[in-house]
Amino acid sequence: MLYIGSHVSFSKDKQLLGSLEEALSYGANTFMFYTGAPQNTRRYPIDDNLTLQALNLMKDKGIDYSKVVVHAPYIINLANDKEPDKFKFSVNFLQEELERCEQLGIKNVVLHPGSHVGLGEVNAINNISRGLNNILGNNDVTILLETMAGKGTEVGKTLEELKEIIDRVEDKEHIGVCLDTCHLSDAGYNIVDFDNFLDLFDNIIGIDKIKCVHVNDSKNEVGAHKDRHENIGFGHIGFDTLINIIYNERLQNVPKILETPYVDREYAPYKYEIAMIRSKEFDNNLIDKIKNQI
Ligand code: ZN
Ligand code: FE
Ligand code: FE
């Protein structure tokens, strides 16, 4: 079964119910959300009543909540401990995020491993795993390390770096990986032959660790290290390669999440992209249709 959705908003007033309604309006059967603005630390208490209403609506609509994921705020950086206060803040904020997820009943949280900001990969890997070891095991939430594009000093741009982190994490049951197609391509991986890539992943990390895929096209060519997402089929990865990834049998039960850009910063593309993905046929006029909402 295809689990396809996009990132959606999570508002103070409607919370999980609002996120679900947005996802349903796109024809999605899964989704991803931030529990608050990704770039700040303001968080509102979770309203269990809204969560319950959302869970009931999911039951009605046949949505499998175990496929819904949260994205941790990207101000968290476990890689750099140059300023002990900042590192501590990241650890604490991530811990609080996992507690919010537990209250929401969310099982998987996507996390950017972090940027080493001059410390180098080896120190960063030690810091990240130390941070994770402080947090994991306190509840039943799994952290999915996202494959990164290698922009600036990002860690997690190679499968070997991710493996090094995972090797140092004590609670192996609660650590996994989220593939991001734009980031993989920007990091220099050839994902045209995706089965070949999965074999490589399986050799290094183990394919069972993949719990989520971010499906994005890329504005840049392979190896560009830029991390600029493009709408499905309109970038350098292309429609056929992305369809191959989305429908790969080995990742059949893994949710696929779109993080493609709004058109003209105004129009959400997800309803259109999801329909196009379901049809498996590229629509050259999709951007115009999104702009005109037809
Ligand atoms: Zn991410
Ligand atoms: Fe992503
Ligand atoms: Fe990205």
Side-chain angles (χ1 to χ4, degrees), residues 34 71 110 112 146 148 180 183 214 259:
Y34 291 85
H71 199 307
V110 177
H112 295 179
E146 181 162 351
M148 301 310 289
D180 184 308
H183 299 175
H214 288 168
E259 301 171 303

Side-chain angles (χ1 to χ4, degrees), residues 148-172:
M148 301 310 289
K151 191 176 71 180
T153 63
E154 276 173 355
V155 182
K157 59 194 175 296
T158 67
L159 301 184
E160 286 80 3
E161 287 177 6
L162 293 174
K163 177 202 155 53
E164 291 289 327
I165 299 167
I166 293 168
D167 277 352
R168 286 166 176 75
V169 168
E170 287 151 20
D171 184 5
K172 299 271 191 280

Side-chain angles (χ1 to χ4, degrees), residues 193-205:
D193 185 348
F194 193 62
D195 267 305
N196 203 49
F197 172 80
L198 285 180
D199 289 341
L200 179 75
F201 189 98
D202 200 32
N203 279 328
I204 298 173
I205 296 176

Side-chain angles (χ1 to χ4, degrees), residues 4-9 15-33 57-58 61 63 68 257 270-271 274 278:
I4 182 94
S6 68
H7 64 168
V8 295
S9 55
Q15 302 194 357
L16 187 65
L17 183 61
S19 305
L20 171 64
E21 286 170 347
E22 184 180 343
L24 291 171
S25 79
Y26 299 148
N29 61 358
T30 189
F31 55 96
M32 177 176 83
F33 62 95
L57 183 53
M58 281 186 227
K61 301 285 180 184
I63 304 267
V68 175
I257 304 291
Y270 309 118
K271 186 176 107 182
I274 288 170
R278 289 193 196 280

Side-chain angles (χ1 to χ4, degrees), residues 100-112:
R100 267 190 298 276
C101 287
E102 176 159 66
Q103 192 181 349
L104 283 161
I106 285 283
K107 291 289 175 216
N108 291 303
V109 177
V110 177
L111 174 72
H112 295 179

